[in-house]
Amino acid sequence: MERRLAYAMVGGGKGSFIGPIHRMAIRMDDLADLVDGCYTHADDWRAMLERAKGRADFVAVCTPNDSHHEIAKAALESGFDVMCEKPLSLTLAEAEELGTIAERGGRKLGIPFTYSGFPMVKAARDLVASGELGAICKVVLEYQQGSFRKIDLTKPLDKRNKWKMDPTKSGPSCVVADIGVHGFHLIEYVTGLEVKSLLADLSSFAPGNRLDDDASILMRLGDGGAKASMVVSKVATGEENGVRLRVYGDKASLFWNQESPNYLSVKYPFAPERIYKRKAPYMLDVSEPSVAFTRVPAGHHEGFIEAFANIYREFCAAVRDRGEHDYPGAREGVRTMRMVEAALASNAAGNTWVEVRG
Amino acid sequence: MERRLAYAMVGGGKGSFIGPIHRMAIRMDDLADLVDGCYTHADDWRAMLERAKGRADFVAVCTPNDSHHEIAKAALESGFDVMCEKPLSLTLAEAEELGTIAERGGRKLGIPFTYSGFPMVKAARDLVASGELGAICKVVLEYQQGSFRKIDLTKPLDKRNKWKMDPTKSGPSCVVADIGVHGFHLIEYVTGLEVKSLLADLSSFAPGNRLDDDASILMRLGDGGAKASMVVSKVATGEENGVRLRVYGDKASLFWNQESPNYLSVKYPFAPERIYKRKAPYMLDVSEPSVAFTRVPAGHHEGFIEAFANIYREFCAAVRDRGEHDYPGAREGVRTMRMVEAALASNAAGNTWVEVRG
Amino acid sequence: MERRLAYAMVGGGKGSFIGPIHRMAIRMDDLADLVDGCYTHADDWRAMLERAKGRADFVAVCTPNDSHHEIAKAALESGFDVMCEKPLSLTLAEAEELGTIAERGGRKLGIPFTYSGFPMVKAARDLVASGELGAICKVVLEYQQGSFRKIDLTKPLDKRNKWKMDPTKSGPSCVVADIGVHGFHLIEYVTGLEVKSLLADLSSFAPGNRLDDDASILMRLGDGGAKASMVVSKVATGEENGVRLRVYGDKASLFWNQESPNYLSVKYPFAPERIYKRKAPYMLDVSEPSVAFTRVPAGHHEGFIEAFANIYREFCAAVRDRGEHDYPGAREGVRTMRMVEAALASNAAGNTWVEVRG
Amino acid sequence: MERRLAYAMVGGGKGSFIGPIHRMAIRMDDLADLVDGCYTHADDWRAMLERAKGRADFVAVCTPNDSHHEIAKAALESGFDVMCEKPLSLTLAEAEELGTIAERGGRKLGIPFTYSGFPMVKAARDLVASGELGAICKVVLEYQQGSFRKIDLTKPLDKRNKWKMDPTKSGPSCVVADIGVHGFHLIEYVTGLEVKSLLADLSSFAPGNRLDDDASILMRLGDGGAKASMVVSKVATGEENGVRLRVYGDKASLFWNQESPNYLSVKYPFAPERIYKRKAPYMLDVSEPSVAFTRVPAGHHEGFIEAFANIYREFCAAVRDRGEHDYPGAREGVRTMRMVEAALASNAAGNTWVEVRG
């Protein structure tokens, strides 16, 4: 049996959405024990890190965006592996610094871009890699949320929306940094292609919001001329968490919808559409990982916590064996911040093409 | 903070589908620690129970059907609360005995009829109870599985299908006792009506199977003339776990589909169909429990383990406070076995109406 | 080019739902000209038939149920081919008489059981016939309508619901004769199996209705032990026209839903679910008729009028060439009335098995 | 009863997809008789027009794109009203000329942008106009086809794809002019907003194709800051005719999918999603036209031909009464060509913003 790990948490206390998710995800596979935490008072997390030395293997950072960099940096420098909420930092420079620190110190740095933890997203990636879709020419990704349309304008903003709209807490981008990074990661993860450049058109539609809450981003991928069109929004009224990914190759296309996450549709020009289903017997031939990363039988649904637990399963494997595993790490944290900065630059320049460095 | 409980497990070891689910469900809310177990050797579970006395609050029974009664009985008589897999026993008499033992000893007995743990099933129940659907006249329930069509007839039966088809392990019924009980429980849970009588037509379609693997069951519910039509099958080729519930009242109807469990459709004669969604803001007005029994935000999916954890959350609350909570218990275990016996009797008599005692 | 036919219509005038459908369906392929009609005054249809002799090839009968037999009989005896609305008559004896008259006189008699006119229903039939599903063991058919829940009880009944609830107009059965016949026809058409016996449980749920408005019917099909469960209702509140057909074989199963009629799902134990789509290139290999009976390209939807036009296309071919074609005729009219009488008899006898003669 | 019209057709003969659709659509409501036609030999259509004078009220032009302008011009100048297939011409200047000729001559000019003929698209328009969605901020439109992925590269191109890829037949744009115009029209029709400017990124992915076969187009709408993101493609492998429209307002959003055209989803921040259904009783309060433009009852599907017939119903009303009716006309023909030219200009200039004149 594998060694049980120990971890400490910063942030993620009362009222937090994501803190409990981290804890449930870690418990699901009984990966690690929570040995210390600093859930509410941001001022004493340094003392907590000190206490946790020798007792915790890794630190989970679940605070608002503006403290990600500082806390993650301190934790890495204290010798902890770190799972840090996205976006990794407010600026690209900070993300790059974290990446460098982790690499130099031999520390593991994970970022829970949860969607690549879904079994059928892994199946999508493996189908693309196997050549089933042929050469990829186009990706269409929507990430539609209506959270900024649930705000009662006659009342003070709730805590969560408040910091998301606040540049001092959120950094220079809201929707692109908050959920655009998920979309971007999904595109690169599934296609295996790097985004080379982008053209972004950002908007601020929610009353009182000065940051971007809606974005249309065109992208160029890889060296073969592939393109992507990504729409992300927090003002998509009535949408809950509409992550919809369509990948078009010259032989077939695929569609995955986070709101029905256990299925993956593949369409062919000359054959019936196929609905691949999580953990069905034939999935072993299509994508072994899509089967390995499930916990309940076919037909019995898995959701967000299970996907999150998959990220942690791989991260904890890396913490134990110090090897490479299938979780979003420093590279993905830096890549997504490069995208954020490119999007802001493109928008500021009147929607021009901006390079996304490799 | 609530007291952390301790439990022991019988069965549920290597190769078991349901054992790991129990353990993950319990861990999800960090309800109890597993302190002892007897996972594989059925012969020494009595010793384990002895060891666990004073150390475990409850025992989870995850063995094949034929040992449910014996183990649950011993555990109850040893003073443990018990969560026992369904069906509670091979015969109605045994189920009734367990109910009596639990009641007399003041022990809690839970049965994980998981589907009533889904938030949107609770919402369905609350919508019916609120009168939103008016007087219920008809229920249509399908529980379609194709598991007996995944058998390779040229090879020996796998362990799990083997005992399901074996009367000495499964008892006198296969599909009705195995999944028909889920359907029956769903119908009574959501409508709040008792099934008074039924007429069952059972079949054995799978090659080599002597027990029922397909059933059509007509039912009369409550005192107002309501009826139900239930179809359950293990030979529904290609179906994974097709639990589909339709409840028709004189004002509206509802539809819940386990394969898309976070949604609940309600249809009206003079208004657009409404899609209720787990944890959406308006759900608080519709069904507080449907919100209380969730862990992730609207739009982020929950599935089988979460529903299972909801059953355990209520069971553990009862273990702690010795009160009544919203989980299927001895009554449901006995009711479902009454249904199984009535179905077998009806079929044996040429598909006649048979009473299901209260 | 094929000879253009001429037809006369009885019934189907102002306020009729089905009359305009017949006329549009006939016009769609420009099959026949309407040369005479008696749309509203039931008393002079005999005169109209007299006038139409030599001018019309066939007569379309679109009156309420109670006059189907009399008008169809007169038309057949006057030498016309006849397309008569379902149910063919109020009693089985009348239906059999019409069948005999048509046969002796060499007249064509069509009944628009529209659903077998849908291209993807023809594909379903052809898939079953090809052995793709293996041996059929179970059919589950729902035909759920909520029309009797749209009645405002504080007002006089509208004309259409009034005659549907009136035994002198509708005959001894309402829901079984009105839509149960569609379900029954679909089952026999798609499976190619004859229903041998049935057990019916009928209800009258709508206030003031003395006829059946909800039915659960169990059936035995063919000689291989196949079974069906059919639920039909006019009190399925909020449902529009919920015709859902599931056919389970030992190799695969299929699902067709009238509310998404251009698609056909086929599920396999060891392969992904396939969604067959009307007129897609691969459909030629699956079912030539499913392609021949379409008018618009794949992806552009066809609906009820097109399916109706398919029935007429085949009927008119028979009118022209006097041969056999793929439309529901006298045999289907008689078979469905045998089912209706068996269902009434079974229900009257306390839900016993009743033979459906061949 | 309304006067029956007469029409002549140019193009639309053997092998044509769209010619038979025109004829069936016109017949559906028995609007007009086809009195003359020139289906195959492009050289004698002038003689046909001469013959039809005094006998035909309007001319339907169903030829490939490159002859639309010449034939429509001649027909208008001969005093006919004209229904001309889209795109109206190869260039904007030609479209403008046709608009001017029609206006000066008092002739009706219709363009069958079929999708605005769907009842639920009219309902969408009326919901937006009623303020139900609040102020529109974002539109997301996909029109995904895979037709250029159905080409067998080892064989000569089939006739239809050949002319679509041929600049001398199709004009300077393929996908934008062929289906982008549908998407553009849908956006303006449903939102009631004019596209003011756009930024287009065009691609040629199909082997051998020199024209655009995939496009991502960003748009600015109206004066309130609304934006749209449109993706249109002929290389969306496996897609049939994926027209998906999402409109986001600050109070609600709507979704219409051509592949399930009888439904319209509306999502709210604080209320369950509503599924509006064609011709349901409540639709009269939402959109009278959505009810008036249907032919079969709720629950019985309508499709492409019916939508096409709705365009013709309005066009023929205009032909008869010389008034304004709800069909796409000269204005829409010119607007869509302005969009095409702007898209080509934007792409040529490196994806810059280009004005779309009013």
Side-chain angles (χ1 to χ4, degrees), chain A residues 137-163:
Chain A
C137 69
K138 187 79 182 273
V139 180
V140 177
L141 186 134
E142 290 175 89
Y143 194 153
Q144 304 275 17
Q145 283 188 343
S147 46
F148 283 3
R149 295 303 190 193
K150 287 190 194 162
I151 295 169
D152 182 343
L153 295 169
T154 64
K155 293 184 187 162
L157 268 181
D158 66 292
K159 194 174 132 196
R160 196 155 167 259
N161 280 320
K162 194 172 180 181
W163 75 252

Side-chain angles (χ1 to χ4, degrees), chain B residues 161-172:
Chain B
N161 280 321
K162 192 173 181 181
W163 73 252
K164 296 225 168 190
M165 287 187 183
D166 179 353
T168 68
K169 292 278 179 193
S170 267

